[in-house]
Amino acid sequence: MSDTTNLSRRERQIMNVLHAEGSATVATVQAQLPDPPTDMAVRRLMHILEEKGHVKRLRKEGREVIYAPAQSKAHAGLNALKLVLDTFFGGAVDEALAAHLTRKDTALTDEQTARIQKLIDEAKREGR
């Protein structure tokens, strides 16, 4: 699969729609794009994304093709997180977490705090 960092702005917008929806037709994608291009332009971009290995065709429903991301939302999210960590925080998870937690609009529930602590403890035990 191609590196998602090489996607154009519009290709990234399409991938965001597909990840949010799980799967979608060209019309569904087009309706959710800012300043949407023509349906032919969206079809062409879907074809390009398919050629690059980012999108797959799931099935046809009538004349419409249902498209989906080639990689799972979880996998794409991990790749995006790694890119953000590397780009903005030099790969430092603690700096990213600190930046998030020091925001005034951030609130963690007791369950979230416990889960984070459990993950930290597990990572320590495993030597990560």
Side-chain angles (χ1 to χ4, degrees):
M1 174 168 306
S2 299
D3 184 1
T4 58
T5 59
N6 294 327
L7 295 179
S8 71
R9 176 184 56 86
R10 190 61 92 180
E11 289 171 338
R12 188 169 310 285
Q13 289 171 338
I14 289 171
M15 291 307 300
N16 290 344
V17 171
L18 289 174
H19 280 294
E21 294 292 320
S23 64
T25 64
V26 167
T28 302
V29 170
Q30 182 186 25
Q32 294 187 40
L33 292 175
D35 191 26
T38 65
D39 64 334
M40 279 307 293
V42 176
R43 283 182 207 291
R44 181 68 186 132
L45 286 164
M46 296 291 257
H47 181 72
I48 290 168
L49 287 167
E50 187 176 18
E51 287 178 339
K52 289 181 176 182
H54 296 291
V55 169
K56 61 184 176 185
R57 292 173 188 227
L58 289 182
R59 64 189 177 280
K60 277 190 98 169
E61 288 185 4
R63 294 180 51 185
E64 289 291 322
V65 175
I66 309 296
Y67 293 92
Q71 70 178 205
S72 71
K73 188 175 183 176
H75 190 261
L78 287 174
N79 287 340
L81 178 59
K82 182 180 180 339
L83 181 63
V84 168
L85 287 173
D86 291 346
T87 301
F88 297 102
F89 300 100
V93 174
D94 62 324
E95 288 184 28
L97 184 58
H100 179 67
L101 293 175
T102 57
R103 292 178 42 194
K104 300 243 186 277
D105 62 344
T106 299
L108 290 177
T109 65
D110 291 340
E111 293 82 16
Q112 290 170 322
T113 303
R115 180 160 187 259
I116 290 169
Q117 187 59 57
K118 180 181 174 191
L119 292 169
I120 291 169
D121 294 342
E122 287 174 9
K124 280 183 180 178
R125 276 195 305 278
E126 295 172 6
R128 293 184 281 135

